[in-house]
Amino acid sequence: MYGNAYVENTGNQNSLTAGEDPVKLAEFEARIAAGEKIEPQDWMPKEYRRQLIRMIEQHAHSEIIGSLPEGTWITRAPGFRRKLALMAKVQDEVGHAQLLYSACETLGKSREDMINDLINGKSKYSNIFNYPAVTWADSAVIAWLVDAGAIINQLTNSKGSYGPYCRALDRICAEESFHLKYGHDNVVFLATGTPKQRQMVQEALHRWWPPLMHFFGPSDKISQHTETLMKWKVKMASNDDMRQQFLDMYVPKIWDLGLTVPDPNLKKNESTGKWEYTEPDWEEFKRVINGDGPCNKERLAVRRMAEEKGRWVRNAILKKDAQYVAPLA
Amino acid sequence: MIIKSLDPRITRAGIDDESKDGIQQPMDQWHTYEVFQQKKRGTHHVHVGSLHAPDAELAVLFAKEQYARRGQCVNLWVVKTSDVFTTEYEDEDIFATTPEKKYREPEVYKVMDRIQAYKAKQNT
């Protein structure tokens, strides 16, 4: 489950290709333009590697941290069937993190370094998981709409240029479709249930709407930087385009259930075909992503505890003479 | 400070958010294995990705969890990454067919031309 990479937009216009061999760069760009995939052993610009490491790593962390707000509800899921399904979903998400960490390692960053950067707060993960799942209905809204957003992002990125990342995403997308159906089923069950159940899902939707609007990130600045990342097929669509796609697919489904979202200005402009909405509060987004959200501390503390408490298991089977070798592809 | 959560299990665990434990040392996550999956009998095993494991036996277990979650698998192989010997993409040209080796291609054998010519000669 993941929204979108927070592409850094700093430095001067040519910073992405500064110091690169122009012949190799031209060959590299021609291969991407021809639809070829770049493999770990291939030559690549330093910035291509750096941006991909950051993006895939954030994605991996998001899968693992994203399983925490949902995991909270496993012990209290209403009924055995939902408990089993939620366990399977959470297990999938943790598995996705493993696939993505492996893909990222092919670019030269070790698994241990990634885990350390996460628990030290250096690496980011999808901001939406810094919010709490207050009721069972919150977990239903997450499974439906957060996963819906993630599928839009992941399908888009699976057409990118880096082979190992694309292959991991294809695998992930195949599993996410169950999450979406499971989430929709839970939301529909509550929305068509007793007045209390309906109220519960309505309140959860209101809680999750602002983070969902933040999910794809702020509007991209039009810059040489973004254009280069798009040419390199690191970034496959603008944040706004993905947000539009999300609104187009899911707002009608929400309204169809007679549920509302907390934005009186949300409507589709029939002449432009675009959704209009109140600009999300990007100050809050920045504040939360920089550590000051309702659950940032808890998420990292729980993740750190898992490493700490799991250490004896790893030590028990540790091979002292083992040598690290980065994966092949 | 001890973490207080909506999740009673987390509150009960008494986690200190100032703790610095849990930091990884090199090789804490063991070494990597490459995974090969056979989707159905009679087909080739195909490389599907990699994983971390302390030994081959656990690598097979993790491969099942990470790469064969929704069926579509009848067999798995794992190989330690360091045991795989590879060619370089830079040397891709070693696989190219050179013009002087055209005798290995079916389309260079033009028997019909010769047969036609022979038949034409017989009829004159």
Side-chain angles (χ1 to χ4, degrees):
Chain A
M1 298 191 292
Y2 182 49
N4 206 1
Y6 306 108
V7 172
E8 283 171 2
N9 215 339
T10 51
N12 66 50
Q13 291 204 333
N14 297 319
S15 61
L16 283 179
T17 53
E20 299 292 356
D21 177 340
V23 178
K24 284 186 169 161
L25 183 64
E27 277 173 14
F28 169 83
E29 290 184 343
R31 289 182 50 199
I32 291 176
E36 270 184 53
K37 299 283 181 200
I38 303 301
E39 294 298 334
Q41 297 85 350
D42 285 327
W43 183 89
M44 59 186 85
K46 285 189 273 310
E47 275 298 310
Y48 177 84
R49 184 185 299 274
R50 198 176 70 87
Q51 295 283 356
L52 272 170
I53 288 177
R54 224 167 48 87
M55 188 167 145
I56 304 173
E57 186 185 345
Q58 276 181 15
H59 191 166
H61 294 331
S62 302
E63 299 284 349
I64 227 155
I65 297 292
S67 66
L68 298 177
E70 287 187 291
T72 294
W73 282 96
I74 291 176
T75 53
R76 294 167 288 170
F80 192 54
R81 191 182 61 88
R82 291 192 190 89
K83 197 190 289 280
L84 285 174
L86 182 55
M87 277 198 287
K89 178 182 189 304
V90 167
Q91 230 180 2
D92 282 352
E93 307 291 9
V94 176
H96 296 169
Q98 304 297 320
L99 299 183
L100 291 158
Y101 281 132
S102 287
C104 192
E105 279 174 82
T106 63
L107 289 158
K109 184 164 184 179
S110 77
R111 178 86 50 125
E112 290 85 356
D113 284 348
M114 288 189 265
I115 295 174
N116 285 341
D117 284 352
L118 172 66
I119 60 185
N120 286 330
K122 195 178 157 209
S123 296
K124 302 278 184 246
Y125 51 87
S126 199
N127 202 37
I128 203 160
F129 304 124
N130 288 321
Y131 293 86
V134 185
T135 69
W136 166 252
D138 293 64
S139 89
V141 171
I142 296 173
W144 185 33
L145 294 176
V146 179
D147 280 68
I151 291 174
I152 291 174
N153 174 259
Q154 288 165 169
L155 278 177
T156 310
N157 279 341
S158 70
K159 313 285 186 299
S161 63
Y162 189 58
Y165 188 37
C166 299
R167 293 191 286 269
L169 288 176
D170 283 342
R171 213 160 256 284
I172 289 170
C173 288
E175 292 180 4
E176 295 271 5
S177 46
F178 140 65
H179 303 172
L180 184 70
K181 286 276 200 173
Y182 156 85
H184 196 200
D185 185 77
N186 281 333
V187 169
V188 170
F189 188 89
L190 293 173
T192 57
T194 64
K196 199 168 182 183
Q197 285 172 319
R198 216 178 138 74
Q199 187 193 346
M200 217 168 116
V201 75
Q202 178 62 79
E203 284 170 4
L205 190 57
H206 276 234
R207 272 192 291 276
W208 285 86
W209 192 253
L212 276 165
M213 289 299 283
H214 287 149
F215 191 60
F216 296 101
S219 300
D220 302 292
K221 290 186 200 123
I222 310 293
S223 69
Q224 183 95 31
H225 188 100
T226 321
E227 269 176 34
T228 305
L229 291 177
M230 287 216 172
K231 183 166 70 177
W232 287 351
K233 297 188 185 169
V234 169
K235 191 171 175 54
M236 295 301 290
S238 79
N239 296 352
D240 282 333
D241 283 352
M242 285 195 276
R243 190 163 22 244
Q244 284 290 332
Q245 204 184 331
F246 173 77
L247 294 171
D248 216 29
M249 287 171 80
Y250 293 96
V251 173
K253 291 192 171 78
I254 293 168
W255 285 347
D256 191 40
L257 290 167
L259 298 172
T260 61
V261 296
D263 181 359
N265 298 323
L266 182 74
K267 64 169 189 301
K268 190 172 183 170
N269 182 327
E270 291 303 336
S271 58
T272 59
K274 298 267 184 207
W275 287 83
E276 290 166 0
Y277 47 81
T278 310
E279 193 56 29
D281 182 353
W282 296 112
E283 285 308 312
E284 178 187 330
F285 175 77
K286 273 184 219 152
R287 195 167 49 74
V288 175
I289 205 163
N290 287 321
D292 189 20
C295 299
N296 301 50
K297 275 195 178 145
E298 176 182 333
R299 300 289 181 243
L300 292 190
V302 168
R303 187 68 198 85
R304 199 184 299 116
M305 179 195 71
E307 289 304 329
E308 187 188 318
K309 297 246 166 103
R311 178 171 298 279
W312 72 270
V313 181
R314 289 197 305 274
N315 282 341
I317 40 181
L318 191 65
K319 300 280 183 284
K320 291 252 176 333
D321 55 347
Q323 292 252 315
Y324 176 74
V325 180
L328 280 174
Chain B
M1 230 174 67
I2 302 299
I3 293 286
K4 274 210 155 46
S5 172
L6 283 168
D7 186 340
R9 295 170 309 156
I10 292 172
T11 307
R12 277 201 301 272
I15 311 165
D16 183 359
D17 76 344
E18 304 289 327
S19 163
K20 288 287 168 233
D21 292 331
I23 294 297
Q24 306 283 297
Q25 303 303 320
M27 288 309 294
D28 263 6
Q29 302 289 319
W30 313 302
H31 43 211
T32 64
Y33 284 80
E34 303 297 324
V35 181
F36 298 80
Q37 177 190 35
Q38 188 185 31
K39 284 201 168 172
K40 57 180 185 189
R41 281 169 183 268
T43 59
H44 285 292
H45 283 70
V46 174
H47 179 254
V48 286
S50 62
L51 50 77
H52 286 243
D55 57 38
E57 209 180 329
L58 277 167
V60 168
L61 184 73
F62 294 163
K64 180 191 164 285
E65 292 302 331
Q66 291 176 39
Y67 292 97
R69 290 186 66 71
R70 296 287 192 281
Q72 288 204 328
C73 182
V74 295
N75 201 254
L76 283 168
W77 292 347
V78 294
V79 182
K80 226 193 247 181
T81 304
S82 56
D83 287 343
V84 181
F85 199 77
T86 69
T87 59
E88 302 291 334
Y89 282 109
E90 279 179 21
D91 303 329
E92 219 174 303
D93 58 348
I94 63 173
F95 305 110
T97 293
T98 51
E100 56 271 27
K101 283 190 175 174
K102 273 282 188 259
Y103 52 82
R104 302 188 306 175
E105 311 291 336
E107 64 271 16
V108 301
Y109 293 93
K110 310 244 185 261
V111 290
M112 284 317 286
D113 294 355
R114 210 171 168 85
I115 291 171
Q116 303 294 357
Y118 174 73
K119 284 186 178 166
K121 207 170 150 193
Q122 294 294 305
N123 294 336
T124 52

